[in-house]
C-alpha cells in the first residue's frame, strides 16, 4: 500500500461527518437545556453565524490554493505559529473526542 495525503474531497467528507455527528447527537440537547423556550431562535441565530464563518474561511482560503491550514500558518507566522496551531488543534481534538 502506498502512502499518500488525503485529498480535498476526503478531508471535506471527514469534517462534515464529524460535524453532523456532533450536531445530531449533542447540539439539540444542549440548546434546549441552555435556552429552553428560545431554542428555535437560538438555532437560527447560530446557523447564520456558522454560515458567515464558513463564507469567511472560504474567502480566505482562496488566496492559498493547494495549501492546508498548517502551511498557511507557517507562511503567516513562521515555525512557531505552525507549532502553536498544531498544539491547539490536537488539544481541542483530544478534549472533545
Amino acid at each position: 500500500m502506498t502512502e499518500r495525503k488525503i485529498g480535498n474531497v476526503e478531508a471535506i467528507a471527514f469534517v462534515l461527518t464529524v460535524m453532523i455527528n456532533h450536531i445530531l447527537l449533542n447540539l439539540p440537547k444542549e440548546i434546549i437545556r441552555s435556552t429552553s423556550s428560545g431554542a428555535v431562535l437560538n438555532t437560527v441565530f447560530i446557523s447564520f453565524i456558522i454560515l458567515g464563518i464558513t463564507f469567511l474561511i472560504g474567502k480566505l482560503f482562496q488566496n492559498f490554493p493547494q495549501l492546508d491550514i498548517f502551511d498557511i500558518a507557517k507562511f503567516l507566522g513562521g515555525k512557531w505559529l505552525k507549532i502553536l496551531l498544531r498544539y491547539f488543534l490536537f488539544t481541542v481534538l483530544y478534549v472533545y473526542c
Side-chain angles (χ1 to χ4, degrees), residues 32-73:
I32 291 172
R33 185 182 316 166
S34 64
T35 59
S36 63
S37 64
V40 175
L41 183 61
N42 195 10
T43 304
V44 171
F45 184 64
I46 289 172
S47 299
F48 282 128
I49 290 173
I50 290 172
L51 287 174
I53 291 171
T54 304
F55 178 75
L56 179 67
I57 289 172
K59 283 293 187 185
L60 291 173
F61 267 105
Q62 284 180 351
N63 297 329
F64 299 100
Q66 303 296 324
L67 296 178
D68 62 0
I69 194 165
F70 295 119
D71 294 334
I72 295 170

